């Protein structure tokens, strides 16, 4: 139970964020800040961002509010700067130099608000030979060695959607960075620029593996290591119905329970015998093929064998553990992941659905005391061609 008098909508209540609309990691980072209770005002462009989904279903814009400002209009930058003056954090995902050309770069913003944390989200970063080049998640993780680690050794690297680059290496590092800078700004009064590059974050995610590589405990190739599917008791196996089970029985005691429940006790001594790994893999694969996914799920239910069914996106919300925790929630007819992480006092929730472009202009103008937002003389319905 929340203590009386504490905010019921997250630990960042009272923090104001301006998000300059983009695609990919920037919106997800701003959603996370909004989920944690920040008042996130998304500055949408006339005409949208190009690759966005239907705004009614774009849950990366939940818990936010939206205003529409044309930054290429004569007074567009001034309207944004009015918001900046009252903000704690700004998030933008343009290519280097674009925000400056539009009149809302760090120097201009800090002239209006020296305490502002200016979060920059790019793939390549603000400096370097590729800084001005276009790119997407797959290219960023390719150069860092991350993509080359994922997949079977006899097949092309497996693309992990945009989770490792955009969201793990990008959004999460941006959120950590701006919150750290906000802590500094509140202690010193000095805002700063947070240069978040997906290449930096994706490389940083592999820190442990680089250490293992240096120590000789990791081979620099796919499917040959303990955690990349090379190990026969850490990977996925097809079941009789064409579905899959995930196995992670790394420790000795978990492995012992795994081979017992799977019914291959004769392979108990093959755990550390690399010469028998091929034989062990074939045995495990053959056993899993004898029953369906649900049947194997029942076999391993309640055990410490570290085995789980591989569920689809639509199946996951109904899993008893996730349902009991409320890992997913329904809001506005959309089943979606609930805010994470969780807090004992400042509880989080999905307060509002996706912010529709421009729908909150009057409320933001009132709440942030920015009357210029409600003027109706926006003139250029022109999508930005400077690049994100």
């Amino acid at each position: 139970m929340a203590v009386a008098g504490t905010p019921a909508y997250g630990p960042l209540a009272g923090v104001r964020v301006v998000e300059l609309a983009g695609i990919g990691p920037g919106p997800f980072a701003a959603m996370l800040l909004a989920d944690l209770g920040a008042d996130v005002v998304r500055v949408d462009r006339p005409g949208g961002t190009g690759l966005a989904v239907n705004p009614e279903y774009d849950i990366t814009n939940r818990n936010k509010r939206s205003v529409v400002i044309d930054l290429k209009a004569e007074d567009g930058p001034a309207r944004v700067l009015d918001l900046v003056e009252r903000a704690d954090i700004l998030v933008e995902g343009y290519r280097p130099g674009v925000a400056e050309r539009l009149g809302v770069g760090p120097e201009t913003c800090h002239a209006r608000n020296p305490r502002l944390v200016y979060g920059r989200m790019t793939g390549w970063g603000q400096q370097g030979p590729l800084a001005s080049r276009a790119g997407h998640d797959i290219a960023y993780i390719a150069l860092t060695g991350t993509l080359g680690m994922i997949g079977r050794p006899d097949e092309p690297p497996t693309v992990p959607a945009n989770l490792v680059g955009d969201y793990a290496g990008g959004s999460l590092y941006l959120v950590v960075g701006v919150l750290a800078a906000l802590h500094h700004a509140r202690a010193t009064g000095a805002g700063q620029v947070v240069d978040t590059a997906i290449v930096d974050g994706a490389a940083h995610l592999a820190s442990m593996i680089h250490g293992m590589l240096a120590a000789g405990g990791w081979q620099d190739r796919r499917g040959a290591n303990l955690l990349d599917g090379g190990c026969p008791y850490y990977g996925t196996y097809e079941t009789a119905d064409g579905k899959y089970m995930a196995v992670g029985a790394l420790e000795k005691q978990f492995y012992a329970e795994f081979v017992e429940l799977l019914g291959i006790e004769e392979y108990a001594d093959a755990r550390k015998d690399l010469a028998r790994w091929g034989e062990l893999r074939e045995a495990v694969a053959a056993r899993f093929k004898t029953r369906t996914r649900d049947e194997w799920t029942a076999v391993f239910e309640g055990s410490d064998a570290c085995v789980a069914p591989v569920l689809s996106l639509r199946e996951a919300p109904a899993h008893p553990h996730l349902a009991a925790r409320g890992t997913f929630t329904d809001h506005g007819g959309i089943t979606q992941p609930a805010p994470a992480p969780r807090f004992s006092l400042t509880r989080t929730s999905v307060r509002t659905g996706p912010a529709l472009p421009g729908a909150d202009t009057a409320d933001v103008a009132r709440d942030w005391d920015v009357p210029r937002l409600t003027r109706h003389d926006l003139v250029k319905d022109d999508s930005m061609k400077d690049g994100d």
Side-chain angles (χ1 to χ4, degrees), residues 114-299:
R115 301 171 64 92
L116 180 74
V117 173
Y118 195 105
R120 314 200 83 163
M121 182 72 260
T122 60
W124 306 117
Q126 297 298 311
Q127 295 86 30
L130 296 177
S132 64
R133 293 277 299 277
H136 281 295
D137 173 291
I138 192 169
Y140 309 138
I141 64 174
L143 285 194
T144 62
T146 312
L147 179 60
M149 292 166 44
I150 305 172
R152 296 177 56 84
D154 54 348
E155 297 177 0
T158 298
V159 181
N162 67 334
L163 303 178
V164 173
D166 277 355
Y167 292 158
S171 304
L172 298 185
Y173 280 86
L174 176 61
V175 169
V176 170
V178 297
L179 292 182
L182 179 63
H183 175 75
H184 177 267
R186 290 187 164 178
T188 66
Q192 60 183 304
V193 176
V194 179
D195 174 6
T196 310
I198 295 172
V199 290
D200 297 344
H204 192 262
L205 287 170
S207 295
M208 181 191 75
I209 293 173
H210 278 279
M212 295 173 68
L213 183 66
W218 190 275
Q219 299 182 63
D220 196 14
R221 55 192 179 93
R222 283 192 305 284
N225 300 285
L226 193 65
L227 303 176
D228 65 356
C231 173
Y233 45 92
Y234 195 90
T236 57
Y237 290 92
E238 188 175 2
T239 55
D241 54 349
K243 298 180 181 179
Y244 292 85
M245 297 294 289
V247 177
L250 292 177
E251 290 83 355
K252 182 178 180 180
Q253 67 274 25
F254 303 151
Y255 176 80
E257 192 165 352
F258 166 64
V259 295
E260 179 185 353
L261 290 173
L262 192 64
I264 56 169
E265 293 95 328
E266 65 271 26
Y267 289 93
D269 295 334
R271 176 171 167 265
K272 286 199 170 183
D273 187 351
L274 297 183
R276 298 186 64 192
W277 271 17
E279 176 190 357
L280 175 58
R281 184 186 305 281
E282 290 179 2
V284 172
R287 282 295 294 159
F288 272 120
K289 277 287 222 176
T290 64
R291 299 184 185 181
T292 67
R293 186 190 67 180
D294 290 348
E295 288 172 336
W296 281 119
T297 298
V299 167

